[in-house]
Amino acid sequence: MSIPYSQEINDIPSIIARHQEADTFAGMIEDAVEQLLGECERRPLVLGIALHPYIMGQAHRALHLDRALTRLREAADPRIWWTTAGAIADHMTKGPGMPA
């Protein structure tokens, strides 16, 4: 089983390689969610957000990430499943027609 791993919504290439600011990275997350919500009725989609504590966990960056994720969670969109790769794997292996 393979869970998508984003190279775009990933703090290493964004912050370190492309020298983007944390607010830009947080905005990328919100923009990606908006786009994917517009597409999710046609097919299931995954938005992996790759975070590393030594990058986005820094106080001056974490604030921007927290704001973006708080806005998204407070929207309470039922199409969003806030989960982990492990929970997705568990869900898929226990789904209809899947071996337990």
Side-chain angles (χ1 to χ4, degrees), residues 57-70:
Q58 299 300 311
H60 66 286
R61 293 184 183 125
L63 178 66
H64 296 283
L65 178 64
D66 183 60
R67 285 179 188 150
L69 296 179
T70 297

Side-chain angles (χ1 to χ4, degrees), residues 57-90:
Q58 299 300 311
H60 66 286
R61 293 184 183 125
L63 178 66
H64 296 283
L65 178 64
D66 183 60
R67 285 179 188 150
L69 296 179
T70 297
R71 281 192 291 268
L72 291 168
R73 287 192 71 98
E74 287 178 350
D77 192 310
R79 298 172 293 178
I80 297 175
W81 177 26
W82 295 87
T83 192
T84 63
I88 293 170
D90 288 346

Side-chain angles (χ1 to χ4, degrees), residues 34 48 54 65:
E34 182 180 337
Y54 61 93
L65 178 64

Side-chain angles (χ1 to χ4, degrees), residues 5-97:
Y5 182 83
S6 176
Q7 286 294 29
E8 286 297 313
I9 308 297
N10 183 325
D11 59 2
I12 291 176
S14 287
I15 303 291
I16 304 303
R18 293 191 296 266
H19 307 288
Q20 294 175 321
E21 297 296 331
D23 61 336
T24 300
F25 181 72
M28 288 170 56
I29 294 170
E30 291 185 272
D31 291 346
V33 169
E34 182 180 337
Q35 177 66 32
L36 294 176
L37 286 175
E39 298 176 14
C40 73
E41 299 302 323
R42 293 183 297 247
R43 64 188 174 281
L45 298 166
V46 172
L47 174 62
I49 302 172
L51 301 171
H52 303 83
Y54 61 93
I55 298 174
M56 284 308 286
Q58 299 300 311
H60 66 286
R61 293 184 183 125
L63 178 66
H64 296 283
L65 178 64
D66 183 60
R67 285 179 188 150
L69 296 179
T70 297
R71 281 192 291 268
L72 291 168
R73 287 192 71 98
E74 287 178 350
D77 192 310
R79 298 172 293 178
I80 297 175
W81 177 26
W82 295 87
T83 192
T84 63
I88 293 170
D90 288 346
H91 174 77
M92 293 306 298
T93 58
K94 294 175 183 161

